Amino acid sequence: MSTSFTMWTKRLVFITIIGGLLLVATVACQRVFNMSEINLLIDKADEQQLSYELIIHNPLTNAYSFNIIDD
């Protein structure tokens, strides 16, 4: 009975670790994608000499709002 419990405990720990790694990888990919998108938007706005407003809503994932300001 304890062997079965130990096996299930090991499986649960393994699945939890894999789930945590997938979560971290997802957040890291989203952060990198959003940062590259922000840099592209800023570069294009600067090239066209446009005023813009950038708001970072979530610093962990770099979720953002980007608006061109009408002068």
Side-chain angles (χ1 to χ4, degrees):
M1 195 165 176
S2 66
T3 306
S4 175
F5 179 73
T6 304
M7 186 171 64
W8 283 108
T9 303
K10 288 180 182 178
R11 285 182 183 175
L12 180 61
V13 168
F14 177 74
I15 290 170
T16 303
I17 290 171
I18 295 298
L21 290 173
L22 288 173
L23 178 66
V24 168
T26 301
V27 169
C29 288
Q30 187 174 12
R31 179 179 176 85
V32 169
F33 177 76
N34 285 344
M35 198 66 227
S36 64
E37 201 171 44
I38 289 168
N39 288 336
L40 180 65
L41 289 168
I42 289 172
D43 290 345
K44 293 297 180 182
D46 287 343
E47 281 178 13
Q48 298 178 15
Q49 298 176 346
L50 298 171
S51 298
Y52 57 86
E53 175 185 40
L54 172 64
I55 301 171
I56 304 291
H57 299 286
N58 184 342
L60 183 63
T61 61
N62 284 337
Y64 67 94
S65 296
F66 186 89
N67 296 312
I68 299 295
I69 299 172
D70 295 328
D71 293 330

